[in-house]
Amino acid sequence: SIPSVVSLEGKVVEILKMGDPRLLRIAEPIENFNSEDLHQLIRDMKATMKSVNGAGLAAPQIGVNLQLVIFGSDSINPRYPDRPMVPPTVLINPIIIPIGDEQDDGWEGCLSVPGLRGTVPRWKNIQYKGFDEYGNVIDRVVDDFHARVVQHECDHLIGILYPMRVKDFTKFGYTEVLFPEIAATEDDD
């Protein structure tokens, strides 16, 4: 359920790590939009994501079993400095529809899998639908990194962490070994 502590600022909360069984649950849909509890949860998620330079965060990653993801930023992410920016988005009860058959392998990391990166196949082009926190419809067609971020975050809503999708384990390992140019303080923990 949604926490019932209310403040104007979001608080940084603990991010669950791989191995915690709560990350493997199927998230429940949100039925009540535009509530103070929902807004507080989103503020907490934004504060938490920002504190660790996340590209996105799903509610299950902080132990809240609801179909809610946030992603994107107005500035370059130090964990993904060469990737295009994705607009800040709150996405509730999402549906992803692949467009075409093309998939790309791309490097991913995860706040719930700190210090590791791996290549994961994802649909190159998708349409995603859902709602914002006010119940307004979101319906976007996106590609490449934007599509990858959405698919990664929405996987958390069905109990999937990116290592479960890795096909080639020669392209899975510690960030500090694979990408020594990324400072340890900027990666995943």
Side-chain angles (χ1 to χ4, degrees):
S1 72
I2 298 174
S4 60
V5 176
V6 176
S7 75
L8 296 177
E9 296 295 318
K11 67 179 186 301
V12 175
V13 296
E14 178 186 4
I15 297 172
L16 303 180
K17 303 288 188 272
M18 185 170 61
D20 189 311
R22 292 174 289 176
L23 290 168
L24 304 177
R25 299 182 295 188
I26 305 298
E28 299 293 327
I30 291 175
E31 297 175 2
N32 298 316
F33 299 95
N34 200 23
S35 71
E36 186 49 48
D37 287 344
L38 178 61
H39 291 299
Q40 185 62 49
L41 173 59
I42 292 166
R43 285 191 294 268
D44 291 348
M45 289 176 66
K46 287 179 177 179
T48 302
M49 186 176 89
K50 183 178 180 182
S51 76
V52 290
N53 293 321
L57 186 68
Q61 289 180 274
I62 61 167
V64 178
N65 197 36
L66 293 173
Q67 293 182 18
L68 165 62
V69 298
I70 63 171
F71 54 86
S73 173
D74 289 323
S75 58
I76 298 294
N77 187 315
R79 288 179 53 232
Y80 298 95
D82 299 328
R83 299 295 180 98
M85 289 197 295
V86 174
T89 303
V90 171
L91 181 61
I92 296 172
N93 301 340
I95 297 170
I96 295 175
I97 303 161
I99 298 173
D101 295 327
E102 189 176 0
Q103 292 191 12
D104 280 338
D105 286 335
W107 288 98
E108 295 186 17
C110 181
L111 300 172
S112 290
V113 188
L116 296 170
R117 297 274 174 114
T119 59
V120 178
R122 299 280 186 193
W123 298 108
K124 181 174 174 50
N125 302 287
I126 63 168
Q127 177 182 19
Y128 65 89
K129 300 178 181 185
F131 302 92
D132 69 11
E133 62 267 44
Y134 303 101
N136 298 313
V137 171
I138 295 173
D139 187 346
R140 296 179 183 159
V141 173
V142 299
D143 61 7
D144 300 322
F145 185 62
H146 189 153
R148 177 169 298 281
V149 169
V150 173
Q151 291 171 83
H152 175 109
E153 295 310 327
C154 289
D155 266 357
H156 286 292
L157 306 180
I158 55 172
I160 295 176
L161 298 171
Y162 85 87
M164 299 160 102
R165 293 203 184 272
V166 170
K167 302 278 190 229
D168 180 356
F169 280 91
T170 66
K171 296 181 180 173
F172 177 73
Y174 290 99
T175 306
E176 65 188 32
V177 175
L178 294 167
F179 301 99
E181 69 279 9
I182 298 177
T185 57
E186 293 176 348
D187 190 57
D188 307 335
D189 52 10

